[in-house]
Amino acid sequence: MLAIPGPTPVPARVLQAMAAHPIGHRSPAYSELQAEISENLKWLHQTQHDVQILTASGTGAMEAGIINFLSPGDRVLVGCNGKFGERWALIPEAFGLQVERITAEWGKPLDAAEFATKLEADQDKRIKAVIVTHSETSTGVLNPLAAINQAVKAHGEALIIVDAVTSLGAIELPIDDWGLDVVASGSQKGYMIPPGLGFVAVGPRAWQAYESAKLPRFYFDLGLYRKAIAKHTSPFTPPVNLMFALGEALRMMRAEGLDAILARHSRLTRACRAAIKALDLPAFAPDDAASTAVTAVIPSNIEAEQIRKMMNKEFDIALAGGQEHLKGKIFRIGHLGFVSDRDLLTIIAALEATLQKLGSAVTAGAGVAAASRTIAEG
Ligand SMILES: *Cc1c(COP(=O)(O)O)cnc(C)c1O
């Protein structure tokens, strides 16, 4: 049982769709599938603009989302309060841009006011983009994207480029309503399918910037994907069987409904946080900045790695560890994608049994009671 923030569990229906024999990607059958997927991706992204599909992991989608709209020497602001935010500073640096980091302690959300101050001071409009990780998976922190976006809109020139890898399909992200310019995501997170596809939603202001952007691009030239999608095809050979999986997963998501999907992620998050609190295990991220995809936990007097090891060995449940300096200090519970109330209750019950086996003085049933109460309340 995968309780990590990606790869996430894959429904049997999706696995079955993937097991079909591949078809030619220049066939009418493929075009029909691509057309259906395009419509459903727009629905999921709450946008009327096409979403580009790349054969890449989420990092590839972010690289494409950065390099297609900028030029050498451009100034960019990057929000850094975890492993992924730090990574997004390295991409523009690798491509010769001027990167300024806006940092917050790992485990704390970024401060929108710091972005506003930098953007207001930029009178000659040299800042060309602001790059933000919406849900910082390494810490379980949700960054204040709406407020940061407002500061970017007040600036008027900079694009906002969003890592939505663990927020798309997990929390409200109305791309067109908010006017988000570039939003990147990856298949192994909220999409309920295996790794291998990256997605980049691009708005009209970004496409305008694309025309004059001068960084080199070839395989990740999003203009090629845009042109191909208009003709219901793809510029290069797509991973056809992953597209079968995507088609089926999007059908499942539409049947569930976006509001219901977001409500389920919110409920799982609240239930998970109530449970760990009842077990005297503090959450790493504060309540008012909690990712709805992953909960990072600081075990008080038991080694995080011991808990993970026993959960794996005794219950066949994979939890994620901490990254970088948080290695061994936290563990992370993924509740993103194809995860049900039943799954969460199972994870919490197994966690309680693990804590007891490891000699912790937890009150038996406290975590499950707290989680089931939250679930019952909805
Ligand atoms: C998983 C993840 C990514 C993408 O990582 P890949 O390994 O390249 O798929 C990017 N950002 C966040 C916040 C993630 O959780």
Side-chain angles (χ1 to χ4, degrees):
M1 185 180 194
L2 290 176
I4 59 175
T8 61
V10 179
R13 262 177 70 177
V14 171
L15 291 172
Q16 232 133 34
M18 273 185 85
H21 199 283
I23 58 174
H25 60 291
R26 303 293 179 220
S27 65
Y30 185 82
S31 293
E32 207 174 296
L33 175 65
Q34 171 67 63
E36 183 200 358
I37 285 174
S38 292
E39 277 315 302
N40 287 343
L41 283 176
K42 285 190 218 176
W43 165 81
L44 176 64
H45 285 74
Q46 301 185 58
T47 178
Q48 55 166 321
H49 307 290
D50 279 330
V51 177
Q52 282 54 230
I53 308 173
L54 309 173
T55 306
S57 75
T59 302
M62 274 303 282
E63 180 163 323
I66 293 168
I67 68 169
N68 275 273
F69 309 107
L70 296 165
S71 301
D74 277 356
R75 218 177 132 197
V76 297
L77 303 183
V78 185
C80 295
N81 59 336
K83 172 98 180 152
F84 290 100
E86 305 275 354
R87 183 181 293 174
W88 310 143
L90 300 179
I91 293 178
E93 271 176 0
F95 282 89
L97 305 194
Q98 280 185 59
V99 174
E100 218 170 311
R101 289 169 173 77
I102 303 217
T103 60
E105 198 186 317
W106 287 34
K108 300 277 183 297
L110 294 165
D111 182 358
E114 285 187 43
F115 287 87
T117 305
K118 289 272 185 213
L119 288 160
E120 277 161 23
D122 180 38
Q123 289 300 324
D124 44 358
K125 309 292 176 194
R126 287 184 47 248
I127 299 174
K128 298 299 178 194
V130 173
I131 304 174
V132 183
T133 303
H134 191 192
S135 159
E136 180 46 85
T137 313
S138 60
T139 58
V141 164
L142 187 76
N143 281 315
L145 179 61
I148 295 170
N149 182 50
Q150 271 179 5
V152 175
K153 292 295 172 281
H155 179 267
E157 168 75 20
L159 298 173
I160 184 154
I161 300 174
V162 181
D163 168 356
V165 178
T166 56
S167 65
L168 190 87
I171 197 156
E172 182 64 354
L173 188 61
I175 293 181
D176 283 4
D177 280 1
W178 288 5
L180 300 174
D181 300 299
V182 179
V183 175
S185 56
S187 59
Q188 81 276 28
K189 306 288 174 91
Y191 289 86
M192 313 193 293
I193 70 175
L197 292 175
F199 305 89
V200 194
V202 180
R205 288 179 67 242
W207 281 124
Q208 214 174 326
Y210 169 89
E211 296 301 330
S212 55
K214 292 198 174 49
L215 286 180
R217 58 195 183 208
F218 185 82
Y219 187 73
F220 281 161
D221 182 342
L222 290 177
L224 302 176
Y225 294 83
R226 179 194 206 188
K227 246 189 247 162
I229 282 177
K231 293 190 232 151
H232 307 313
T233 183
S234 77
F236 311 107
T237 312
V240 172
N241 289 58
L242 272 177
M243 295 295 281
F244 292 158
L246 178 61
E248 190 64 17
L250 288 169
R251 275 170 224 135
M252 288 179 69
M253 291 171 100
R254 285 207 84 147
E256 185 177 357
L258 194 52
D259 289 346
I261 293 172
L262 302 183
R264 174 166 55 83
H265 283 84
S266 159
R267 187 171 68 244
L268 291 172
T269 302
R270 286 180 282 113
C272 185
R273 294 176 71 90
I276 59 169
K277 197 168 175 198
L279 293 172
D280 268 332
L281 299 174
F284 192 56
D287 281 333
D288 58 1
S291 162
T292 51
V294 56
T295 299
V297 182
I298 320 168
S300 9
N301 43 29
I302 301 179
E303 284 276 310
E305 290 308 292
Q306 258 188 311
I307 294 173
R308 289 211 309 134
K309 216 186 261 173
M310 187 165 288
M311 285 285 279
N312 212 325
K313 186 161 160 270
E314 303 289 333
F315 300 101
D316 197 23
I317 295 176
L319 299 175
Q323 293 169 292
E324 308 284 332
H325 65 275
L326 296 176
K327 212 172 222 151
K329 300 221 164 61
I330 61 169
F331 66 85
R332 292 173 299 148
I333 303 171
H335 35 76
L336 170 66
F338 187 56
V339 181
S340 66
D341 295 334
R342 180 189 61 194
D343 295 327
L344 187 81
L345 289 171
T346 303
I347 295 164
I348 297 301
L351 179 61
E352 272 187 12
T354 297
L355 293 171
Q356 285 175 310
K357 272 173 185 280
L358 291 172
S360 159
V362 294
T363 313
V368 172
S372 59
R373 208 176 304 123
T374 308
I375 287 168
E377 285 163 8

